Amino acid sequence: MRGLRILEIVMENKGGVTIPRWAFGLAAAIVALLVVLVIVLIPRGGDNSNTSAAGGSNGAAQSKATSTVAAGTCGAGASDDQAVLDAAPKDTTWVTTDQGWIGPVSKTAGPMANSPIRNCFEHSAEGGLYAATWAYIQMVESPKDYMPTIVGPGADTLRELRKKDTTTAPVLHISGYRYISYTPERATVRLLIKTPSATYWSADIVMEWHDGDWHYWAPTTPTEAGKADPDEFITWGS
């Protein structure tokens, strides 16, 4: 599993914009800093319906009506449904934050809270996906509030690196995802990121179920984000 590259490595895109390598990755803190680079149930603007998904369900997903895992402590529910591993969620609304990032909101998967960060996600594969996406966004957009919530062996190092990084990252767009692995305790999601120059990168975000919600899990040694082929991902984005 790859974490997000949060080191002070930068990349130059065709538009001349310098993008920190950590900004491409944000989880599993974004997963570390990439995202590497919140969402309110009443969007601040810029929301639209979910795009179509690539890939088909393998028929193994269980009904959302039942759950063998406990719900979180913040009001979101729980589900054994794993259909999101094969196809994009059907009830996504995309909302625009104050700084121009566009993130997903679901009435069931979350986030259910937005103060001071967007959090409180369903204990499910779908909740893990939404949590990973917002982890990526918030590590860049609101690190002061988000960074204290991250867990994992590399959490302290990641927080220190983020404090020292004064680079202004451009707004990137979530264009898709691919689940690498999922258990009720840990979700590893590979996000497809589109840059301002229309190139695609991927960032692995690892989320851990901790204290009743999904938290970005920072590895000891973050790994780099890499260029990606959109055809290898499930289409999901604004």
Side-chain angles (χ1 to χ4, degrees), residues 74-173:
C74 58
S79 173
D80 295 325
D81 191 335
Q82 296 185 21
V84 70
L85 273 61
D86 299 309
K90 299 180 181 300
D91 65 346
T92 305
T93 295
W94 294 88
V95 299
T96 303
T97 69
D98 289 341
Q99 295 185 32
W101 289 81
I102 302 176
V105 181
S106 167
K107 292 180 179 179
T108 56
M112 302 298 182
N114 184 33
S115 180
I117 59 173
R118 299 174 194 261
N119 61 352
C120 189
F121 297 91
E122 183 180 67
H123 192 184
S124 66
E126 188 168 327
L129 171 62
Y130 283 77
T133 304
W134 280 108
Y136 180 89
I137 294 172
Q138 295 181 129
M139 278 195 285
V140 177
E141 183 178 67
S142 47
K144 182 179 179 180
D145 293 320
Y146 190 82
M147 296 308 289
T149 71
I150 67 176
V151 297
D156 289 340
T157 298
L158 182 57
R159 280 190 277 265
E160 288 303 313
L161 285 172
R162 189 64 182 95
K163 286 180 182 179
K164 297 176 182 178
D165 195 331
T166 59
T167 304
T168 299
V171 173
L172 305 179
H173 293 279

Side-chain angles (χ1 to χ4, degrees), residues 24-115:
F24 283 104
L26 183 238
I30 18 286
V31 101
L33 264 185
L34 146 68
V35 225
V36 133
L37 231 53
V38 155
I39 56 194
V40 289
L41 293 178
I42 300 177
R44 300 181 187 178
D47 61 308
N48 41 55
S49 60
N50 180 47
T51 55
S52 60
S57 173
N58 58 14
Q62 301 179 38
S63 170
K64 274 207 167 189
T66 63
S67 175
T68 58
V69 296
T73 58
C74 58
S79 173
D80 295 325
D81 191 335
Q82 296 185 21
V84 70
L85 273 61
D86 299 309
K90 299 180 181 300
D91 65 346
T92 305
T93 295
W94 294 88
V95 299
T96 303
T97 69
D98 289 341
Q99 295 185 32
W101 289 81
I102 302 176
V105 181
S106 167
K107 292 180 179 179
T108 56
M112 302 298 182
N114 184 33
S115 180

